[in-house]
């Protein structure tokens, strides 16, 4: 599997653009273009919290689950798409490891 790339417009008044990469090795990378900021996390650190039409993607510390490293607001549709990409990457990685 190759890395999957998506471009999302973040909800809110700022309308920031996020370039998201889902890596087949279990990592997510997010670049906020207007702020020149880079966020990353492993799949097992990521949590989706939905409220209405918005969903918050939260990356928590592996050592202390209450420690939030970063969070990113997404539309619910974008969050569903991202969650599906993560799920597919995990499945394909498991298949690859079994075949080895």
């Amino acid at each position: 599997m190759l890395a999957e790339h998506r471009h999302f417009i973040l909800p809110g008044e700022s309308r920031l653009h996020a370039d998201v990469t889902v890596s087949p090795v279990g990592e997510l990378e997010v670049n906020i273009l207007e702020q020149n900021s880079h966020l990353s996390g492993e799949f097992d650190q990521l949590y989706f919290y939905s409220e209405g039409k918005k969903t918050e993607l939260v990356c928590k510390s592996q050592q202390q689950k209450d420690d939030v490293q970063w969070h990113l607001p997404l539309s619910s549709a974008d969050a569903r798409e991202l969650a599906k990409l993560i799920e597919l990457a995990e499945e394909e990685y498991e298949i690859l490891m079994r075949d080895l």
Side-chain angles (χ1 to χ4, degrees):
M1 173 186 174
L2 300 175
E4 291 284 339
H5 300 276
R6 294 293 186 277
H7 302 282
F8 298 126
I9 297 174
L10 304 181
E13 293 181 22
S14 60
R15 308 287 292 169
L16 298 174
H17 295 81
D19 180 24
V20 178
T21 303
V22 178
S23 171
V25 295
E27 295 177 354
L28 180 83
E29 294 186 19
V30 179
N31 290 308
I32 309 297
L33 303 178
E34 291 84 357
Q35 296 177 341
N36 198 27
S37 64
H38 178 79
L39 310 170
S40 64
E42 296 180 17
F43 291 167
D44 61 350
Q45 294 177 274
L46 303 176
Y47 299 87
F48 290 92
Y49 297 102
S50 295
E51 185 178 310
K53 294 182 179 181
K54 292 183 184 178
T55 300
E56 192 84 12
L57 173 60
V58 177
C59 181
K60 295 186 177 182
S61 170
Q62 288 182 333
Q63 290 79 24
Q64 296 180 345
K65 294 295 183 189
D66 292 336
D67 184 23
V68 173
Q69 293 183 332
W70 55 265
H71 59 91
L72 187 70
L74 296 168
S75 71
S76 292
D78 290 345
R80 282 191 299 274
E81 181 179 358
L82 183 56
K84 188 65 175 172
L85 288 174
I86 290 171
E87 182 181 326
L88 290 172
E90 288 176 324
E91 289 174 6
E92 289 189 25
Y93 186 74
E94 287 177 22
I95 290 169
L96 178 65
M97 290 296 109
R98 274 189 298 226
D99 290 347
L100 292 177

